[in-house]
Amino acid sequence: MSYVKKICPTCGKEFFVLEKAEEKATYCTLACLIKAQSKVESRSMTFPSFS
């Protein structure tokens, strides 16, 4: 098995993933994934409904 070193965009830590999962693995932990998702959700815009 071959591993690839990556850097988490949320916390900046280095982590290793299997080469086969390189494209899918972005965050070092589930906590970092949740942090990143909450940032995206807070930036989303809501539009008023025109009824």
Side-chain angles (χ1 to χ4, degrees):
M1 286 193 249
S2 181
Y3 290 89
V4 176
K5 180 170 65 171
K6 296 189 77 172
I7 297 176
C8 179
T10 301
C11 68
K13 291 182 183 177
E14 290 182 349
F15 65 103
F16 294 89
V17 296
L18 285 171
E19 195 171 29
K20 291 181 179 180
E22 181 181 8
E23 295 297 319
K24 293 180 183 178
T26 304
Y27 303 98
C28 63
T29 63
L30 185 57
C32 282
L33 171 62
I34 292 169
K35 258 187 211 178
Q37 286 178 338
S38 67
K39 287 180 186 178
V40 170
E41 288 173 4
S42 68
R43 290 183 188 169
S44 66
M45 296 175 54
T46 57
F47 296 99
S49 60
F50 296 103
S51 302

